Amino acid sequence: MMMDDEKKSEEDKEEVNKYNYWIAYPLALTSAIFFGIGNFILADIGYEEGIKTFYPQCIAATIIYLGYHGSRFITTIISGESYFDPANSAYYDLEGAFDFGALIQPLLKALLLFPISVSLLYAYIFGWYIDINIGLITGEYTASAIFFVVIFFFAFYKQKITWLDVVGLVLILIAVLDISIGGEWERENEEPETGPEDNEHHQITHTEEHFDLAISTALAIVAGFIQALAALQNKYVSRNKKKLNQVQLVFDSLLPIILGTTPFFVMELMNQDPANPTYSMR
């Protein structure tokens, strides 16, 4: 009887996994599309404003955060339960005790996601400076994230790596080097004398170009490294914080971002030049 139950359980898992693939792949593709659009906007706006690009995000973050918890509050009331009941809170464990470890997870998420955005922004800025295709920088970031995720999950969760995985990782490293170093050699062949122009329309030397390329590549790799740490956090939360789902984790991580960016946004609004404002609805 026990053997039959175990066999049925395995069959149920296989059935669930079969449908999970059909859900995961379209969602991953959709995420990649919006990720590309978001990074294009970040690069385009960030080239002009730098770190100030992030300050107004407190407005959107506030709307999303309040919208998420407002909808949860309404649905909880409709179901006849209390929104403030510890049993309905992700920050109390199954025994009803306050879980500080769960509480700090949104803060950790914010401390991971924000540096990724900042690293990518300045990788784009240095990329703009030497006239490199910004999509290549995003490719370096993505490839680096895949590499570090595989290594981290092997090191911390003992997930197996086959020889095909090793081949894939080697190809990723080759791709990153080809995009950064190989592409630069080809651009120098096209412009053998000097590099592109800087913001003041002066030709930069190849030494300056190499230095800016190295900074851009390093920042993209750092962003990929931090992204892998964020993946580790997702795995930790799913295994150890059963009441804190990934959706709420992301939405709640907006609160530290709101608290961190709002003062800078308000200060910039108060001190900006009215004749040439940093932020304008025009």
Side-chain angles (χ1 to χ4, degrees):
M1 186 68 178
M2 185 176 295
M3 293 293 293
D4 292 339
D5 291 341
E6 291 179 356
K7 183 177 180 181
K8 185 177 180 180
S9 177
E10 291 297 325
E11 291 175 353
D12 291 341
K13 288 181 180 178
E14 291 180 2
E15 187 70 17
V16 170
N17 288 336
K18 181 176 72 173
Y19 290 108
N20 280 345
Y21 291 123
W22 288 100
I23 297 172
Y25 291 152
L27 288 177
L29 178 60
T30 303
S31 299
I33 294 172
F34 281 103
F35 175 79
I37 296 173
N39 277 283
F40 173 79
I41 296 173
L42 174 64
D44 190 46
I45 299 176
Y47 180 70
E48 297 293 336
E49 302 300 339
I51 193 67
K52 296 178 183 179
T53 304
F54 297 108
Y55 299 165
Q57 292 185 7
C58 63
I59 300 175
T62 301
I63 295 172
I64 295 171
Y65 179 81
L66 294 178
Y68 171 75
H69 281 282
S71 62
R72 282 198 60 197
F73 178 80
I74 293 172
T75 54
T76 305
I77 295 298
I78 292 175
S79 65
E81 299 179 355
S82 172
Y83 178 77
F84 302 101
D85 187 348
N88 297 322
S89 173
Y91 304 110
Y92 286 82
D93 60 25
L94 297 176
E95 287 73 32
F98 178 72
D99 189 349
F100 181 76
L103 182 65
I104 65 172
Q105 295 305 317
L107 176 60
L108 294 177
K109 175 67 72 177
L111 292 176
L112 289 170
L113 294 182
F114 192 72
I116 292 173
S117 299
V118 174
S119 296
L120 282 177
L121 171 63
Y122 282 95
Y124 294 149
I125 290 176
F126 280 97
W128 276 114
Y129 191 66
I130 60 175
D131 202 25
I132 190 176
N133 189 308
I134 300 302
L136 298 178
I137 298 173
T138 303
E140 292 173 339
Y141 155 68
T142 305
S144 302
I146 294 172
F147 175 83
F148 287 121
V149 165
V150 173
I151 297 300
F152 285 171
F153 274 75
F154 172 74
F156 292 98
Y157 291 103
K158 307 303 179 184
Q159 294 187 355
K160 295 180 180 180
I161 299 180
T162 66
W163 68 269
L164 286 175
D165 297 326
V166 174
V167 170
L169 291 175
V170 171
L171 290 176
I172 288 174
L173 289 175
I174 293 174
V176 171
L177 292 175
D178 179 66
I179 289 173
S180 55
I181 300 176
E184 178 61 17
W185 286 343
E186 183 62 28
R187 285 186 291 272
E188 286 186 10
N189 291 332
E190 296 174 358
E191 300 176 350
E193 299 299 329
T194 56
E197 295 181 346
D198 61 15
N199 293 336
E200 298 179 353
H201 304 291
H202 298 146
Q203 292 286 335
I204 65 174
T205 66
H206 282 314
T207 300
E208 294 172 320
E209 189 177 5
H210 295 165
F211 184 71
D212 292 337
L213 176 64
I215 294 176
S216 178
T217 301
L219 288 172
I221 293 174
V222 167
F225 177 83
I226 301 174
Q227 183 66 64
L229 294 178
L232 280 180
Q233 186 201 23
N234 291 341
K235 183 67 174 179
Y236 170 81
V237 170
S238 64
R239 292 186 62 176
N240 299 283
K241 306 298 176 184
K242 300 298 184 181
K243 293 183 67 178
L244 179 60
N245 61 62
Q246 298 295 331
V247 174
Q248 182 172 354
L249 175 61
V250 172
F251 281 111
D252 285 357
S253 69
L254 295 176
L255 182 59
I257 294 176
I258 294 169
L259 297 176
T261 57
T262 298
F264 294 99
F265 180 56
V266 173
M267 289 175 60
E268 185 64 29
L269 287 177
M270 294 174 60
N271 296 319
Q272 66 182 355
D273 183 4
N276 186 29
T278 305
Y279 308 117
S280 173
M281 295 298 293
R282 292 176 296 177

